[in-house]
Amino acid sequence: MKKYLEMFSVFFKIGAFTIGGGYAMVPLIEAEVVDKKKWIEKDEFVDTLALAQSSPGPIAVNTAVFVGFKMDRYKGAFFTTLGAVLPSFLIILAIAMFFREIKDLEAVESAFKAIRPAVVALIATSVISLSKNSKLKGKAFIIPIAVAACVTFLKITPIIFIILAAVGGNLYMAKKGGKK
């Protein structure tokens, strides 16, 4: 039971203290799961993220599921997922109870405006970290920047880039013969 509580508490802590959604959680998950706890290797984490991104649902929850499943199959997935989801649920529940009364307060609006740059920085950290660990050495960070620019400024749907990445990844693996 101690192992399950540890898995739950690691993801609960990440879920409770990360603002900005799944991509903002990625560097914290990596620091805990790969660097501190050594539950999975760095290469395996990058592969897990690729799988989590291509699966339906939030990336942080998907990552929690995959890490938990790796640790101890279904029980592990249950406890890591519960840890990742429960803080958000409790916070949203509390906010929903009081939001109507406080939503127009200037301090609340200012707080939301102040949080935005921090979220952008956390997501940028995640992109830089993942590009460093990418098998595409060198200037791999250019790919997500170019895709973000195309989606933002040229209004190209992200689905096209997801399909291109899937086809490109499959072609790359076929060329390499399925070897890492």
Side-chain angles (χ1 to χ4, degrees), residues 18-98:
T18 307
I19 296 172
Y23 287 100
M25 295 171 94
V26 169
L28 298 174
I29 294 172
E30 181 180 7
E32 284 288 327
V33 170
V34 175
D35 301 331
K36 188 174 177 186
K37 299 291 182 182
K38 304 209 183 299
W39 287 341
I40 61 175
E41 298 293 322
K42 186 84 113 177
D43 286 348
E44 195 173 13
F45 181 74
V46 173
D47 292 342
T48 298
L49 281 178
L51 187 58
Q53 287 174 317
S54 62
S55 301
I59 187 171
V61 174
N62 291 346
T63 304
V65 169
F66 295 134
V67 169
F69 191 83
K70 164 111 175 54
M71 294 296 300
D72 195 12
R73 313 268 307 158
Y74 296 104
K75 283 184 182 179
F78 174 77
F79 283 99
T80 55
T81 304
L82 184 63
V85 170
L86 192 58
S88 297
F89 174 77
L90 295 174
I91 291 167
I92 293 299
L93 184 63
I95 289 172
M97 291 170 53
F98 302 108

